[in-house]
Amino acid sequence: MGIFPGFGGWINQNIQQSLKASTKRSEKGKSSSVSEEERYLQGPWYWNPALSPKEKAESMELDHVKSMPMFASDPKYYDSDERVRQAGLWMSENKKHPWHDEPAKVKVKTKNGICHLNIYFTLGRPPQSVYEMFTDPRNVGFFHSMGKYKNHWRTRLDTIATKVLKKDGPRQITEVEKVLRWKILGYNGTIPIHLIIDENHQKVSATYKKVKVKHMKVFEGSWKMEPLYVDQERLCKSRSHISEDEYKKCSGGKGRIGSKVTMEHIFQPSSLLNVPPISWFIRGIAVKVTKTLIQDLREHVIMMNKIEVLDPAGGK
């Protein structure tokens, strides 16, 4: 499936080396080396453009990139202030005008041993915020599994390492190594996943293809996020298609923007495993884990939107 036109040439150029770890150690005996467990700290990262030079310098003194005010997607291609404003709107409007995210609709079709998953769901955060959740390699807990494993809050999907292969405007080609933990019907295990992801930070979309995925001959797909004007009918009295600027104007800046997420995932077990009943078991695990990861995202966003915002006077 040709989801990466001209992609081979980009990879062969190998024009950009792995980004160095953003972690800066103090001079008081701390090692500057990056451990095997911290390889994912290598980026890619983009500083919050709202930071002053002083704030950026102070942030560089932090020991861990998880604590740094950085983005995984390039803020040149969206309004970071508007994203923050929308987050506040979602939290402040939740009680007065609750919004219920649409559960994921997953259509599964298998043909010639290749399984196609077409997925659609909604989330109560703007497309750029949702895109950041999909691309952020800092393991910040979007895909959690509390109580499922020995270590509480251990994530189902961890990023181990990242490497930017090409950056061309809003387009970024990233090599990513992940580990996926699964548990189904009393069985559990881990699957190493090595991917190349072709991201577009302006179109908030991406395609991906395997370098190597255990037990998989084919493993590729895509995702995209589109704006969902959840308060349009209530505040704008209109059901017709409008732009984001028109929505902001007619809603008086009080309209929340959610996301319509469309995903396609295609996989095929390796030849020796692509025979019944083994192939049924592998497909069952793949579909179940995909649905679980999506549900993790939904629960994370629902939880965030339930946080109550305090006004400057100390009231709610």
Side-chain angles (χ1 to χ4, degrees):
M1 181 178 178
I3 61 176
F4 291 125
F7 180 70
W10 278 37
I11 299 302
N12 292 332
Q13 290 175 26
N14 195 20
I15 66 168
Q16 186 169 335
Q17 298 299 320
S18 175
L19 295 183
K20 294 181 179 180
S22 298
T23 307
K24 182 177 180 180
R25 306 293 186 181
S26 68
E27 297 179 356
K28 296 182 180 180
K30 289 186 179 179
S31 171
S32 60
S33 64
V34 180
S35 71
E36 188 73 13
E37 294 179 352
E38 293 178 322
R39 286 190 300 142
Y40 71 89
L41 302 184
Q42 295 180 24
W45 308 116
Y46 299 94
W47 285 100
N48 185 336
L51 290 179
S52 66
K54 181 181 178 181
E55 289 171 326
K56 185 174 180 179
E58 291 173 347
S59 297
M60 289 293 289
E61 297 299 326
L62 297 174
D63 286 338
H64 205 289
V65 74
K66 282 187 179 180
S67 304
M68 295 180 181
M70 294 179 172
F71 300 138
S73 52
D74 195 336
K76 288 182 182 178
Y77 301 103
Y78 61 92
D79 188 339
S80 57
D81 290 336
E82 177 63 16
R83 196 176 77 168
V84 172
R85 192 184 75 84
Q86 277 290 325
L89 270 178
W90 275 101
M91 290 186 287
S92 63
E93 294 294 308
N94 184 67
K95 275 194 172 182
K96 293 182 290 184
H97 305 286
W99 167 262
H100 302 288
D101 290 325
E102 184 174 342
K105 296 178 180 177
V106 182
K107 294 183 178 179
V108 183
K109 182 179 179 181
T110 302
K111 186 176 181 180
N112 298 327
I114 301 177
C115 188
H116 294 250
L117 272 65
N118 291 292
I119 305 162
Y120 173 84
F121 59 100
T122 64
L123 288 173
R125 283 297 165 101
Q128 283 291 352
S129 296
V130 175
Y131 190 79
E132 188 83 4
M133 296 178 195
F134 273 65
T135 57
D136 197 326
R138 287 179 288 185
N139 300 330
V140 289
F142 303 131
F143 305 104
H144 64 80
S145 52
M146 184 178 182
K148 296 292 185 182
Y149 299 96
K150 184 177 180 180
N151 298 325
H152 290 320
W153 293 105
R154 192 177 186 185
T155 55
R156 301 184 209 275
L157 186 64
D158 278 344
T159 302
I160 306 302
T162 60
K163 179 180 179 181
V164 176
L165 302 177
K166 176 74 174 181
K167 181 76 167 81
D168 182 13
R171 189 183 182 193
Q172 178 174 293
I173 305 294
T174 310
E175 184 176 0
V176 180
E177 293 179 53
K178 296 177 178 285
V179 61
L180 173 66
R181 299 179 178 89
W182 60 271
K183 185 173 185 179
I184 182 172
L185 299 176
Y187 295 92
N188 65 80
T190 59
I191 300 175
I193 298 175
H194 190 177
L195 303 173
I196 299 294
I197 304 179
D198 185 347
E199 307 174 30
N200 191 307
H201 296 168
Q202 189 170 40
K203 295 181 179 180
V204 284
S205 63
T207 54
Y208 61 89
K209 194 170 186 177
K210 80 176 182 73
V211 176
K212 184 177 182 181
V213 178
K214 189 176 182 181
H215 304 316
M216 290 293 172
K217 180 180 179 180
V218 176
F219 193 95
E220 59 190 49
S222 64
W223 68 73
K224 66 176 180 178
M225 291 81 184
E226 297 175 288
L228 176 63
Y229 304 131
V230 302
D231 295 315
Q232 180 178 344
E233 187 174 349
R234 179 173 64 86
L235 296 177
C236 298
K237 313 299 182 184
S238 170
R239 294 186 179 182
S240 60
H241 179 74
I242 60 176
S243 68
E244 184 173 339
D245 288 339
E246 290 170 332
Y247 178 59
K248 190 173 182 178
K249 183 177 180 180
C250 69
S251 68
K254 296 181 179 180
R256 293 166 294 176
I257 300 177
S259 295
K260 296 181 287 186
V261 183
T262 305
M263 299 176 61
E264 181 182 24
H265 182 50
I266 302 168
F267 67 91
Q268 180 182 17
S270 56
S271 299
L272 293 177
L273 300 176
N274 199 23
V275 291
I278 300 174
S279 59
W280 301 340
F281 181 70
I282 293 176
R283 282 199 294 269
I285 290 176
V287 173
K288 175 68 174 179
V289 169
T290 301
K291 290 180 178 179
T292 301
L293 291 174
I294 293 171
Q295 185 60 24
D296 284 345
L297 276 179
R298 293 185 67 247
E299 291 178 359
H300 174 79
V301 171
I302 291 170
M303 178 189 69
M304 291 297 296
N305 289 343
K306 286 183 178 179
I307 296 175
E308 295 186 3
V309 180
L310 300 181
D311 65 29
K316 293 182 179 180

